[in-house]
Amino acid sequence: MEKRRILFVCLGNICRSPLGEGILRQRAEERGLKHLVETESAGTGGWHQGDPPDHRSIAVGRSHGIDIGAQRARQLKVDDFTQFDLIFAMDRDNLRNLVQRAPHDSSADLHLFMDYVSGTTRDVPDPYYGTPRDFEHVFAMLDEGCGYLLDTLFGRKVRQG
Ligand code: 4NP
């Protein structure tokens, strides 16, 4: 099976997309698919370049056994459009931004994440000015979505027992 290169994109690359990256990497590993999934994340904005994820994203990840503390924010770059097969926008603003920036010869597929994984035009809402509950909600959407994504790309997990 072919390796898939998957990029998660949000605005700041400190709240939502770092969680998408960390969750997908961990869930892929748990399914024995580590060698088939390469994932990163980036922000459409560059204000947080080099920063660790927001402490609330680190905390919600940790509470679910996923460590994103070593990840560092970076801004989207033009090479991303050729380096990745699938680029997922967290919300419709991010998607508009991606579409505007994509070079004409871009080989990447650009999608709204929730549309790709559930067929619904829903945003993963920006939790930056929100509460820990909002971060839990983001985590749940991304975790469920990453499960569907892995099912879609690689087939359903073989359940044992
Ligand atoms: P993210 O959240 O796009 O999920 O990383 C945000 C992080 C920072 C800002 C906005 C959203 N900000 O305005 O700095």
Side-chain angles (χ1 to χ4, degrees), residues 97-119:
N97 197 300
L98 280 168
V99 168
Q100 280 167 5
R101 290 199 207 189
H104 290 297
D105 62 348
S106 166
S107 51
D109 269 341
L110 314 178
H111 297 276
L112 186 67
F113 180 69
M114 292 308 291
D115 188 22
Y116 192 86
V117 298
S118 72

Side-chain angles (χ1 to χ4, degrees), residues 52-68:
D54 187 283
H55 65 94
R56 296 162 297 177
S57 284
I58 294 177
V60 75
R62 185 173 292 143
S63 75
H64 293 272
I66 295 176
D67 180 8
I68 63 165

Side-chain angles (χ1 to χ4, degrees), residues 16-143:
R16 291 165 291 175
S17 61
L19 273 173
E21 174 190 343
I23 292 167
L24 184 65
R25 184 176 293 119
Q26 168 108 3
R27 298 304 181 218
E29 190 169 343
E30 288 165 2
R31 293 186 187 204
L33 298 169
K34 185 180 171 164
H35 58 299
L36 289 176
V37 175
E38 189 177 306
T39 182
E40 288 186 22
S41 60
T44 58
W47 316 285
H48 296 283
Q49 184 101 19
D51 290 351
D54 187 283
H55 65 94
R56 296 162 297 177
S57 284
I58 294 177
V60 75
R62 185 173 292 143
S63 75
H64 293 272
I66 295 176
D67 180 8
I68 63 165
Q71 295 174 203
R72 293 295 178 265
R74 71 164 176 87
Q75 189 168 15
L76 181 76
K77 51 185 197 265
V78 72
D79 281 356
D80 289 328
F81 291 98
T82 47
Q83 293 303 306
F84 290 90
D85 307 307
L86 278 168
I87 303 183
F88 289 125
M90 294 290 101
D91 65 34
R92 280 164 280 190
D93 278 342
N94 308 146
L95 183 61
R96 263 191 294 276
N97 197 300
L98 280 168
V99 168
Q100 280 167 5
R101 290 199 207 189
H104 290 297
D105 62 348
S106 166
S107 51
D109 269 341
L110 314 178
H111 297 276
L112 186 67
F113 180 69
M114 292 308 291
D115 188 22
Y116 192 86
V117 298
S118 72
T120 56
T121 312
R122 272 190 298 158
D123 294 335
V124 177
D126 183 351
Y128 190 60
Y129 293 106
T131 65
R133 229 186 127 105
D134 297 311
F135 281 78
E136 274 293 347
H137 181 56
V138 164
F139 184 94
M141 289 179 94
L142 290 171
D143 198 19

